[in-house]
Amino acid sequence: MSSTFFIPSVNMMGIGSLGEAVDAIRKYGFRHALIVTDAGLAKAGVADKVAGLLREQDINATIFDGAKPNPTVSNVENGLRQLKASGADFIISLGGGSPHDCAKGIALVAANGGEISDYEGVDQSARPQLPLIAINTTAGTASEMTRFCIITDETRHVKMAIVDRNVTPLLSVNDPSLMAAMPKGLTAATGMDALTHAIEAYVSTAATPITDACALKAVELISANLRTAVANGSDMPARENMAYAQFLAGMAFNNASLGYVHAMAHQLGGFYDLPHGVCNAVLLPHVESFNASVCPARLKDVAAAMGIDTQRLDDTQGAAAAIAAIRKLSGDIGIPAGLTELGAKADDIPTLAANAMKDACGFTNPRPATQEQIEEIFRTAM
């Protein structure tokens, strides 16, 4: 079976890589950037800092800070209007998954026309998006280097999964110094998002030896560093290891895809506007408990990567150990125990499950599920 491996052309990582990236941007010949970010990073002056670095390279910049958590169709439309008004010839996304996804939506529609909803699904665009440089400030979503774009349709209360080779950024930047100010809750949520990416990619039906290697190393790094990064955000070795971990997890799921954790989490985010990483963290042990009957050996590998001694365990015991280790890590970093704490309602489960069944992320889950089974997973996670 043939496979294709997607990744941005250039990826810069490590402390000080932001400066190197700005120099690289100059060499591309771009003249005017639309910086897509969120209000928090704009208020903190991070967007102005990037704009200033660009000006030193004789590149103009316009800041659009309208990327909301769980970016919406309206966010994309507003950004597109500002793009056209500014005359920008490329886009910089600055932040975590929300600005990156919003920027991808803007760039894709700018190049292909129509509306962002036209591109829901897999490879629905005809042309590459407007050039996109993705500067990451969190360690979790890996949206800075993937072909995934998640946009909330406010009218349907659904997160649209856009999986398209044409939304892959031209250049990704992971400078851990930009991540040091992340609060504990965001560090925990994004770290568990990365762990979910790695585990879902490892048990995916589309996994390959390349994605396996990336996924397991990501699990190892997250297990060894996330607790420290949450407890002490200024611990730069932990921050740098988490930056590498989330990137490796991104390499894994960008090519092996995901599973029901993401398919279900997208519905919670679209329905209740909940934080994506937290939804993933709550759902992960429940979905993997459902999957354990078909991929126990794979989950045993996950347990070993999380530091569990699995030599005397059979596959079933190893899978149980992995699920226990996931729960322990979530608890140690303050992730809520269930969806009820997040405001999810049992009455909404049939709708959430029906929408999850349509989400492209679920297509590669190792164990196919009926809607009734998805509903039951939601109930156990409440």
Side-chain angles (χ1 to χ4, degrees):
M1 183 180 70
S2 65
S3 63
T4 303
F5 196 81
F6 296 96
I7 192 171
S9 299
V10 180
N11 302 276
M12 296 183 172
M13 306 194 68
I15 296 172
S17 57
L18 176 60
E20 296 176 25
V22 172
D23 185 57
I25 292 170
R26 175 183 59 80
K27 294 176 181 176
Y28 283 120
F30 300 136
R31 305 306 308 155
H32 193 133
L34 178 72
I35 300 176
V36 177
T37 191
D38 58 43
L41 287 171
K43 185 177 180 180
V46 181
D48 284 335
K49 174 183 176 181
V50 172
L53 291 171
L54 291 171
R55 281 193 294 272
E56 292 175 5
Q57 301 291 342
D58 198 28
I59 300 171
N60 293 321
T62 298
I63 297 172
F64 171 66
D65 63 0
K68 306 296 184 184
N70 299 314
T72 64
V73 171
S74 296
N75 296 161
V76 172
E77 291 172 346
N78 292 337
L80 190 62
R81 281 192 286 272
Q82 191 153 348
L83 173 76
K84 292 176 179 177
S86 69
D89 59 346
F90 77 112
I91 296 175
I92 291 177
S93 58
L94 175 66
S98 297
H100 296 320
D101 283 357
C102 187
K104 288 176 179 179
I106 296 166
L108 194 65
V109 176
N112 286 272
E115 300 177 353
I116 189 59
S117 58
D118 297 335
Y119 306 103
E120 184 176 7
V122 180
D123 288 335
Q124 296 298 307
S125 69
R127 292 184 292 276
Q129 65 184 0
L130 199 68
L132 173 63
I133 310 294
I135 301 173
N136 204 25
T137 65
T138 67
T141 71
S143 186
E144 83 283 357
M145 55 78 63
T146 69
R147 59 193 174 106
F148 285 69
C149 172
I150 309 298
I151 302 294
T152 298
D153 184 333
E154 310 101 302
T155 60
R156 292 186 291 152
H157 299 289
V158 168
K159 278 193 172 187
M160 298 183 294
I162 298 164
V163 186
D164 197 311
R165 67 186 67 202
N166 285 331
V167 302
T168 304
L170 177 65
L171 166 67
S172 79
V173 184
N174 275 281
D175 189 331
S177 63
L178 295 175
M179 303 172 185
M182 271 198 297
K184 292 179 184 295
L186 182 59
T187 301
T190 54
M192 290 302 294
D193 191 16
L195 182 68
T196 305
H197 292 157
I199 293 174
E200 287 213 287
Y202 190 66
V203 302
S204 164
T205 58
T208 69
I210 296 175
T211 61
D212 286 351
C214 294
L216 287 180
K217 187 62 179 178
V219 171
E220 177 187 325
L221 286 170
I222 292 165
S223 298
N225 292 277
L226 181 55
R227 291 178 178 87
T228 302
V230 171
N232 180 10
S234 62
D235 187 309
M236 292 315 295
R239 286 290 191 196
E240 188 158 22
N241 281 329
M242 284 302 301
Y244 277 107
Q246 68 90 34
F247 190 90
L248 285 164
M251 290 173 68
F253 90 83
N254 196 35
N255 297 282
S257 196
L258 294 160
Y260 287 142
V261 179
H262 274 76
M264 296 168 70
H266 288 159
Q267 312 322 312
L268 294 167
F271 216 76
Y272 304 113
D273 197 28
L274 294 173
H276 175 66
V278 176
C279 293
N280 276 341
V282 173
L283 288 167
L284 180 59
H286 298 282
V287 171
E288 298 317 319
S289 293
F290 172 80
N291 289 336
S293 64
V294 299
C295 57
R298 291 238 141 194
L299 288 171
K300 181 181 176 182
D301 292 341
V302 169
M306 295 187 76
I308 305 299
D309 182 357
T310 60
Q311 287 187 341
R312 293 179 176 83
L313 303 181
D314 62 24
D315 290 347
T316 300
Q317 293 169 328
I323 293 163
I326 292 166
R327 293 183 189 277
K328 179 70 164 56
L329 177 56
S330 288
D332 287 349
I333 60 175
I335 296 294
L339 298 177
T340 302
E341 291 184 46
L342 301 179
K345 298 177 175 60
D347 289 347
D348 296 329
I349 286 177
T351 300
L352 295 169
N355 290 336
M357 292 291 291
K358 303 171 189 174
D359 191 295
C361 289
F363 298 165
T364 48
N365 196 76
R367 181 184 174 189
T370 64
Q371 178 171 329
E372 290 73 22
Q373 288 171 318
I374 295 294
E375 289 181 16
E376 183 58 26
I377 297 171
F378 271 123
R379 289 190 186 95
T380 62
M382 293 296 284

